[in-house]
Amino acid sequence: MGRFNFLATTCCVVVLSLFAQSTWASPLLDASYPVLPEPLLSRQAGPIEPGGKPCGQNNATNRGCWRNQWNVSTDYEFYHPPAFNNRVYNLRVTNVTNWTGPDGVVKHAMLINNQFPGPTIEADWGDYVTVNVYNDMQDNGTSIHWHGIRQFGESDNDGANGVTECPIPPGHMKTYAFHTTQYGTSWYHSHYSNQYGNGVVGSLVVRGPASANYDIDLGPYHMTDYYYETADRLTLRSELVANGAPPDSNNIMFRGKNVHPVTGAGQHDRLTLTPGKKHLLRLINASVDNSFTVSLVGHNFTVIATDLVPVTPIVRQRLFLGVGQRYDVIIDATAATGHYWLNATLEATNQCGRTLNPFPAAIVSYTGAPTGGLPTDRGTPVPATCVGEAGFVPIVKRTLSPAQFVPKPALPVTLAFPTHDPARGAVFEWRVRGTPINVEWDHPVLEYVLEGNDTFPGKVNLVEVPEAEQWVFWVVQNDFGLPHPIHLHGHDMMVLGIGPGQFNVTRDVGALQFDNPVRRDVVQMPGSSWLVIAYKTDNPGCWLMHCHIGWHVAAGLGIQFLERKTEIRQLMKLEQMKPNCDAWRAYEPTSPYLPKTDSGLRKRGRGPSLNPGRSGRGMMSMGDGKPAVRRLW
């Protein structure tokens, strides 16, 4: 099947609508929303080619098969099922004032469909997903990124404002549409400012085959750091050199639940296992800053997928999850009936985040255990580090020849401090190849492409990659001592190697793995180290690569790859971005909180000079007399 002939004629269409009805009044919920853009379903369908010999239907004893014609060994970048279903979701993003959080603390929040985390988006492998995102906030733009979704030929739906679109202004909506050419576990989140740290986040599951059998799918397990102050305020604090390390999280949430570490308010999240059964659990680290080492007392994890890449099953006692990473694991319920702690342990020296909760954990209970009981065994202390996992073997192989290795110029990652900001003073500034990324919300790169304008400003940190389909190799050189979870949009990275110090081609090429290395869309890069990645230029579009720690990308740690530029306008209806961009440009001069002064991917704010005359409208204070970035209610 051709990569860009995504939508095949299907025998049936099932429409799934998930829209939590609002119980609050909003002046923005009216007929002022624009007409939906022309759907991408108008693309011409191509032939459907099965991925292998008939193998039966997916069930507890035959998880490797999918709809008879496809299986876990099917090369999903070339072959996949047709869009048997068209899944339609409606997401409404709102400000909530004085929201009582899961652990009893009242705070300001931004929610999707009035819930945290937002609703899970579910599909089957090959389905077409349409999501209508309504911005019901008063003073904030928004955009939603579908983390890890390859979006072949659909870069304009990637949801990275300033890169693939303008933000959605208040009182407007945008329709996103994409084809699920992969399967597994992921998540979605705002890519505007630090909104996902305020609650604009949810899980995304694409059901498909698996590399090992299981009986019960427990669904996505969404874990995240949690803060009582807004992410906007915390970003303002974290950028100041005088404040030192970024703030500790106040708590860790498991599927949006946990008890307060001091008061005990709230409740532990509880999973239930059926004795003698194998359970699939989809682990997601949706944090802003904290990385976790996850373990389940008395049990092992059988890993069957890394991010959205199925792998040969491998047993681990514990798993490190950098920010943005996911693992599909199988838990075999063969222990004694009872209650067990599911622990999320953080590295002790604050190299990859720290929390004020001394024992962040959830509860896994067996059916038949006393109702409401707590575990008594906290398990052997886990030596948590900031080192990413290795040793996974993808089921669908990718093998390169060492002779192909011709690396592009290195991408050095540096921390400049103190950097003087006129309003804030000495701040931290992260740079990739000497530039702190600063995208243009009102003029995204794909709009440049639509206009035929090649005069990209240097601040957007754009690199054009070859027009022809080929493998490209990048050496990311981390010249500072902190680790970074590096996320690449639009591609699975082949992780060829990681090593200490400066990369030297002559010395280090022998350490690279070219025969079916680990592939994923987020890789943990250690401090003071090098990372070598490769990907094929088979996906026309503009693709962001950035650190997934909110504080770091806010301060500039990102770069863009413009891939096969001449094909973008042929594949995508870029004119569909114009109404939203025009609406954003009309809104921008009216906002008291613009223009931005940060990367545009996470907002940094303007400090004391930020329109102090508007404080009478209920503008949030940082507690030191300085206004926050935006009003959140």
Side-chain angles (χ1 to χ4, degrees), residues 248-272:
D248 299 340
S249 65
N250 296 101
N251 210 337
I252 304 297
M253 292 295 157
F254 301 83
R255 295 196 300 182
K257 297 178 183 178
N258 208 348
V259 298
H260 191 286
V262 176
T263 68
Q267 58 183 323
H268 289 289
D269 183 60
R270 289 179 179 267
L271 278 170
T272 301

Side-chain angles (χ1 to χ4, degrees), residues 293-308:
T293 297
V294 180
S295 58
L296 176 58
V297 174
H299 298 74
N300 291 326
F301 299 130
T302 300
V303 181
I304 62 171
T306 59
D307 297 345
L308 290 170

Side-chain angles (χ1 to χ4, degrees), residues 327-346:
Y327 288 100
D328 288 2
V329 303
I330 294 174
I331 301 171
D332 199 350
T334 56
T337 297
H339 305 287
Y340 298 86
W341 287 117
L342 177 70
N343 296 318
T345 309
L346 280 74

Side-chain angles (χ1 to χ4, degrees), residues 295-298 317-318 343 345 377-383:
S295 58
L296 176 58
V297 174
Q317 290 183 319
R318 55 183 179 266
N343 296 318
T345 309
D377 180 8
R378 290 194 170 183
T380 303
V382 171

Side-chain angles (χ1 to χ4, degrees), residues 16-75:
L16 172 63
S17 179
L18 195 162
F19 172 30
Q21 294 294 327
S22 302
T23 57
W24 65 95
S26 169
L28 299 176
L29 299 179
D30 56 29
S32 63
Y33 288 112
V35 177
L36 299 184
E38 180 185 354
L40 299 179
L41 287 168
S42 61
R43 287 184 181 152
Q44 293 298 312
I48 294 298
E49 300 182 37
K53 296 179 180 180
C55 60
Q57 297 302 310
N58 184 272
N59 56 47
T61 60
N62 194 32
R63 293 297 183 189
C65 288
W66 188 254
R67 296 184 182 272
N68 192 36
Q69 297 295 315
W70 297 270
N71 59 65
V72 73
S73 297
T74 300
D75 192 331

Side-chain angles (χ1 to χ4, degrees), residues 202-530:
S203 300
L204 194 162
V205 171
V206 181
R207 292 178 290 267
S211 62
N213 290 332
Y214 59 88
D215 300 294
I216 300 169
D217 187 345
L218 295 173
Y221 205 74
H222 184 281
M223 300 174 289
T224 184
D225 48 16
Y226 186 76
Y227 301 85
Y228 299 149
E229 289 193 86
T230 67
D232 305 270
R233 297 178 184 179
L234 294 171
T235 307
L236 287 169
R237 293 183 178 181
S238 67
E239 72 172 352
L240 290 177
V241 173
N243 287 337
D248 299 340
S249 65
N250 296 101
N251 210 337
I252 304 297
M253 292 295 157
F254 301 83
R255 295 196 300 182
K257 297 178 183 178
N258 208 348
V259 298
H260 191 286
V262 176
T263 68
Q267 58 183 323
H268 289 289
D269 183 60
R270 289 179 179 267
L271 278 170
T272 301
L273 302 183
T274 301
K277 298 295 185 180
K278 295 182 178 180
H279 304 74
L280 175 65
L281 187 62
R282 303 168 180 272
L283 301 173
I284 305 168
N285 184 352
S287 294
V288 175
D289 180 44
N290 292 179
S291 295
F292 308 128
T293 297
V294 180
S295 58
L296 176 58
V297 174
H299 298 74
N300 291 326
F301 299 130
T302 300
V303 181
I304 62 171
T306 59
D307 297 345
L308 290 170
V309 178
V311 299
T312 301
I314 185 171
V315 176
R316 296 287 172 89
Q317 290 183 319
R318 55 183 179 266
L319 283 170
F320 173 86
L321 282 85
V323 178
Q325 291 186 325
R326 293 90 64 210
Y327 288 100
D328 288 2
V329 303
I330 294 174
I331 301 171
D332 199 350
T334 56
T337 297
H339 305 287
Y340 298 86
W341 287 117
L342 177 70
N343 296 318
T345 309
L346 280 74
E347 189 266 347
T349 64
N350 198 18
Q351 293 299 297
C352 50
R354 188 167 57 190
T355 183
L356 298 178
N357 186 335
F359 181 55
I363 298 172
V364 175
S365 299
Y366 278 60
T367 300
T371 302
L374 293 177
T376 57
D377 180 8
R378 290 194 170 183
T380 303
V382 171
T385 69
C386 295
V387 178
E389 301 287 342
F392 301 109
V393 180
I395 296 291
V396 178
K397 295 188 66 173
R398 298 280 183 267
T399 298
L400 302 175
S401 167
Q404 294 175 266
F405 181 63
V406 181
K408 299 292 182 183
L411 304 175
V413 175
T414 56
L415 177 61
F417 70 95
T419 297
H420 181 71
D421 181 275
R424 303 275 291 151
V427 297
F428 294 108
E429 185 176 84
W430 287 100
R431 300 173 180 176
V432 180
R433 57 172 204 159
T435 300
I437 193 172
N438 183 7
V439 301
E440 298 178 321
W441 276 347
D442 59 354
H443 200 186
V445 170
L446 285 188
E447 191 174 38
Y448 278 83
V449 175
L450 172 64
E451 298 163 348
N453 182 356
D454 290 337
T455 57
F456 305 107
K459 64 182 180 180
V460 304
N461 213 5
L462 185 74
V463 174
E464 292 195 48
V465 296
E467 288 288 310
E469 183 173 304
Q470 61 182 269
W471 287 95
V472 292
F473 302 85
W474 299 98
V475 177
V476 187
Q477 182 66 57
N478 188 359
D479 290 331
F480 194 78
L482 291 179
H484 302 283
I486 300 298
H487 173 46
L488 176 62
H489 293 212
H491 295 275
D492 289 328
M493 294 176 279
M494 292 180 69
V495 184
L496 302 183
I498 296 173
Q502 294 288 316
F503 181 77
N504 180 284
V505 174
T506 303
R507 181 192 64 212
D508 296 323
V509 69
L512 302 182
Q513 181 180 348
F514 294 95
D515 184 13
N516 201 29
V518 171
R519 294 198 310 276
R520 60 190 321 156
D521 56 64
V522 180
V523 60
Q524 182 79 354
M525 179 175 67
S528 302
S529 68
W530 52 262

